[in-house]
């Protein structure tokens, strides 16, 4: 009866279009939240900013464009080959299953694992959740302690926070000023009841590469499972799960020119690591991640991995050259530019710079023609400086002015030159307005000033 | 596998790939396809082994197929507004 009333109400509202938005708002927040995006051939107007063209994209850590070769592999599975890969009774199911298994092999080859060790998930966030909560819940009788670092991705830190509320103990390892883990501190932190060590391979904000082989060796010595979030590392730095002694690894599709909404979890079989599933249901993916495996996405992820393997050297050399071009271009024209994180052990496609004496938000607002971010996309809405930079011991003022330049496969030299030009112009403009920069040029040490407030 | 491709076959494939690359509506994909084509042909220039040359040629042919299809897909969904890079250059 009630449902009938609602349906007639809805039908009535649809007949009167003028009242629909007002009446529907309580039910549909999504419709209300979408801002109009005016797109004309003369330019785009959004959030009150008018841009003459689509901005050049330098935010590859947030997400990467889908490679046309990946899309080409995916499209057939959105068209005629729509079968459920778990259907065992007809051709539609069989062809989808074959495609899923081929993708599993493509992914496992890239990380030197067996296809049986790959579990498909919705992304690295889910893989991280399964790894951390799943392992600790499974071994909760004997293991009560987790070691991670202060610079992990939010989903790892939040999973740990969740475990803490359940009574587990977590050690958040500090990092050195270059962003790398102190191996001695890691060794000292391991206890007999440590159930997991989780350290990300390549940091999403500052791009530093952690010493995986050394961490893996320490974990092996104490016989502690080692989990790593390799979402930013896959296809960009060589990964070998055996050499690095990795027990669990989180992977993501959309960071390597694959589709969004798909990821994978690597789970070692020998010695076997077990997890408690986060989702229960049809028992797909050996019961660890129930739910129909999305064939087109998985096929795209597999194709992206195979491409990454073929192109790793070519892309690597190119991205390295573009990074040098960007850094030298900016440093050649302005001073007070600091690279955040280790300069040696880092992935070239992620360049996190801080500009002294400018205000970060003004800088980002002035760079509307360059799609960059101040750090992680997940926290880019807040004005707080990044917790990753604070963990490195970066001063508050410098942490506020960080910009992350993400260079990728499709970035051109011209784009880098344009980004350099726009950044330099904006920094110079802001510094002209800054009394602090004037004082610095007069030789006054800013840090020695006693501000009356605070 | 077949024998090594002739010089004119290789040049024809090279030209077809470049021609298709220019059809991409997306600035970044277009530039990438051109660049990748030129670099791949330069790298494979010295392939003396017949089987290797034939394999590289077959790979190029299949990539041409991908590029032709995807150039069409990209054109179907091209945004009205072009990249800032194209506007400033013209």
């Amino acid at each position: 009866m009630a449902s009938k009333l609602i349906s007639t109400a809805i039908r009535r509202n649809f007949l009167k279009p003028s009242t629909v938005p007002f009446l529907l708002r309580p039910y549909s927040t999504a419709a209300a939240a979408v801002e109009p995006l005016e797109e004309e051939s003369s330019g785009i107007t959004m959030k009150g900013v008018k841009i003459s063209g689509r901005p050049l994209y330098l935010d590859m850590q947030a997400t990467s464009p889908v490679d046309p070769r990946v899309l080409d592999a995916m499209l057939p599975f959105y068209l005629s080959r729509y079968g459920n890969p778990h259907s065992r009774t007809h051709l539609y199911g069989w062809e989808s299953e074959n495609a899923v298994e081929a993708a599993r092999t493509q992914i496992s080859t890239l990380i030197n694992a067996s296809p049986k060790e790959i579990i498909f998930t919705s992304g690295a966030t889910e893989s991280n959740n399964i790894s951390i909560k799943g392992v600790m819940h499974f071994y909760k009788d004997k293991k009560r302690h987790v070691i991670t670092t202060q610079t992990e991705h939010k989903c790892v830190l939040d999973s740990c926070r969740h475990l803490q509320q359940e009574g587990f103990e977590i050690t958040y390892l500090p990092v050195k000023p270059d962003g790398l883990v102190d191996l001695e501190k890691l060794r000292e932190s391991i206890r007999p009841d440590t159930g997991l060590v989780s350290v990300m391979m390549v940091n999403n904000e500052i791009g530093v590469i952690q010493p995986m082989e050394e961490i893996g060796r320490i974990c092996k010595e104490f016989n502690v499972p080692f989990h790593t979030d390799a979402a930013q590392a896959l296809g960009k730095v060589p990964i070998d799960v055996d050499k690095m002694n990795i027990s669990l690894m989180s992977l993501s599709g959309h960071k390597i020119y694959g589709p969004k909404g798909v990821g994978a979890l690597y789970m070692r079989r020998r010695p076997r690591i077990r997890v408690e599933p986060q989702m229960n249901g049809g028992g797909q993916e050996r019961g660890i991640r129930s739910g129909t495996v999305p064939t087109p996405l998985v096929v795209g992820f597999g194709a992206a991995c195979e491409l990454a393997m073929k192109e790793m050297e070519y892309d690597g050399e190119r991205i390295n050259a573009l990074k040098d071009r960007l850094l030298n271009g900016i440093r050649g024209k302005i001073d007070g530019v600091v690279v955040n994180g280790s300069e040696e052990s880092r992935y070239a496609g992620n360049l996190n710079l801080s500009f002294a004496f400018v205000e970060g938000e003004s800088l980002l607002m002035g760079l509307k023609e360059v799609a960059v971010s101040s750090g992680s996309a997940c926290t880019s809405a807040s004005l707080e400086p990044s917790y990753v930079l604070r963990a490195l011991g970066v001063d508050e003022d410098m942490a506020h002015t960080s910009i992350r330049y993400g260079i990728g496969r499709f970035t051109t030299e011209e784009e880098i030159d344009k980004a350099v030009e726009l950044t330099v112009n904006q920094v110079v403009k802001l510094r002209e307005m800054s009394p602090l920069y004037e004082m610095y040029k007069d030789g006054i040490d800013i840090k020695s000033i006693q501000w009356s407030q605070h | 596998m077949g024998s090594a491709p002739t010089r004119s076959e290789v040049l024809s494939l090279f030209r077809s790939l470049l021609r298709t690359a220019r059809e991409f509506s997306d600035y970044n994909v277009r530039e990438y396809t051109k660049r990748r084509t030129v670099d791949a042909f330069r790298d494979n220039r010295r392939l003396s082994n017949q089987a290797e040359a034939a394999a590289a040629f077959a790979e190029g042919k299949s990539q041409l197929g991908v590029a032709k299809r995807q150039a069409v897909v990209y054109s179907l969904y091209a945004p009205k507004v072009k990249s800032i890079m194209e506007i400033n250059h013209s």
Side-chain angles (χ1 to χ4, degrees), chain A residues 264-368:
Chain A
L265 172 65
Y266 161 79
M267 272 180 74
R268 183 170 286 282
R269 279 162 70 91
R270 270 189 219 102
R272 191 166 178 207
I273 180 96
R274 303 186 67 181
V275 299
E276 188 191 272
Q278 305 287 299
M279 245 200 284
N280 305 98
Q284 290 91 346
E285 299 300 280
R286 284 188 281 119
I288 289 157
R289 207 281 190 178
S290 286
T292 303
V293 170
T295 318
L297 300 182
V298 162
V299 167
F301 187 18
C305 284
E306 193 179 313
L307 256 183
M309 192 142 167
K310 272 191 208 154
E311 302 283 329
M312 198 186 289
E313 203 187 319
Y314 178 84
D315 284 349
E317 277 172 23
R318 197 180 146 73
I319 288 171
N320 206 22
L322 290 177
K323 186 253 323 180
D324 288 341
R325 194 183 179 105
L326 179 66
L327 188 58
N328 296 339
I330 291 178
R331 277 201 168 148
K333 293 197 184 100
I334 45 178
D335 56 351
V337 182
V338 178
V339 178
N340 292 311
S342 165
E343 288 211 40
E344 292 81 40
S345 180
R346 77 180 298 132
Y347 167 60
N350 180 335
L351 189 61
N352 191 314
L353 300 177
S354 280
F355 300 86
F357 315 112
V358 293
E359 209 269 312
E361 282 304 307
S362 323
L363 183 53
L364 274 177
M365 289 306 282
L367 286 178
K368 273 292 159 246

Side-chain angles (χ1 to χ4, degrees), chain A residues 37 75 81 100 136 146 156 159 299-300 306 310 372:
Chain A
L37 190 147
L75 281 176
R81 307 185 176 195
V100 166
M136 292 316 285
V146 179
V156 170
S159 296
V299 167
E306 193 179 313
K310 272 191 208 154
V372 284

Side-chain angles (χ1 to χ4, degrees), chain A residues 39-40 44 52-54 56 66 68-69 71-72 310-311 314 318 369 409-410 412 414-415 418, chain B residues 27-29 31-32 35-36 39 59 63 66 69-70 74 79-85 87-88:
Chain A
E39 192 176 309
E40 303 150 13
I44 314 166
S52 56
R54 296 180 68 79
L56 58 98
V66 175
R69 290 163 286 190
L71 186 62
D72 194 64
K310 272 191 208 154
E311 302 283 329
Y314 178 84
R318 197 180 146 73
E369 294 184 332
R409 182 180 288 163
F410 298 100
T412 64
E414 291 76 25
E415 282 181 306
K418 186 88 185 157
Chain B
Y27 162 78
N28 291 89
V29 176
E31 294 301 314
Y32 174 78
R35 184 169 69 236
R36 194 70 192 88
D39 289 346
E59 168 74 10
Q63 291 299 312
V66 174
R69 287 192 294 274
Q70 290 304 309
Y74 270 74
K80 277 187 213 152
V81 181
K82 290 187 164 185
S83 160
I84 192 97
M85 299 305 294
I87 290 163
N88 292 6

